[in-house]
Amino acid sequence: MRVHGDQVICRRTNIPHRRNYKYYEDDLREDFHNMCGYCGKSREISSRDFHIDHFVPKSQAPERETDYNNLVYCCCVCNWKKSDKWPTGDPSIPHNGDVGFSDPASDEFDTHLMRDEETGEICPKTDVGSYICNTFNFSTRPIHWVWKAEQLQKLINQFNKRISTLSQEEYKKYALINSELGECKKIFLDKE
Ligand SMILES: [Zn+2]
């Protein structure tokens, strides 16, 4: 399974240039389907702020600070983990086949990383994938709990759509899922 599940992240090419990269937030949120480009966490279940990461860090390519193609919508944890790491030292080379990054809005991203269908964990497929997993600390973060919370949130959204027509039985299930989601959120917010 892909890190982003069934969502394909693709930056639109007709976004007008904006003076400050923060002004792209709405555009990015839409193109990234409201999820972190790196770990796939949905903004909907996160109670923390989402950030805008510069894929090629500003320290490497200051001229790309407001270049939409260089911006990644991401959770604050991923943004902190990546900070201004850029191991190739060359702004035009994201990775050297060994270490470095892959743009989450490119097809190439899926060649380096995958998501375990059973557990929701993010696993490397290549050396670059391993570098990314280590840099973002995917194996020690509560990726599994975030994944589980997202599955529960999807069920809740389905119930919410027809909340007024739920049977008593369904309503009980709905309440149970809601409390399970609360538990999941408590666990992953504690751990991150
Ligand atoms: Zn993230």
Side-chain angles (χ1 to χ4, degrees), residues 36 38-41 74-75 78 141:
C36 171
Y38 297 115
C39 73
K41 184 196 301 168
C74 70
C75 72
C78 284
R141 284 168 56 189

Side-chain angles (χ1 to χ4, degrees), residues 7-8 19-20 27 56 66 82 84 94 112 118 138 168 170-171:
Q7 303 280 20
V8 176
R19 276 180 296 115
N20 185 316
D27 308 309
V56 183
T66 58
K82 180 167 172 282
D84 66 350
H112 298 296
E118 293 274 302
F138 287 147
Q168 212 171 359
E170 285 175 317
Y171 201 82

Side-chain angles (χ1 to χ4, degrees), residues 90-139:
D90 181 337
S92 68
I93 303 176
H95 66 79
N96 58 16
D98 191 21
V99 295
F101 297 98
S102 178
D103 181 1
S106 72
D107 293 340
E108 201 220 17
F109 187 77
D110 292 329
T111 66
H112 298 296
L113 296 158
M114 59 170 282
R115 197 183 279 279
D116 184 293
E117 202 133 353
E118 293 274 302
T119 64
E121 300 287 348
I122 298 173
C123 315
K125 292 163 83 174
T126 62
D127 289 345
V128 172
S130 294
Y131 175 84
I132 294 171
C133 284
N134 291 335
T135 302
F136 289 97
N137 287 128
F138 287 147
S139 66

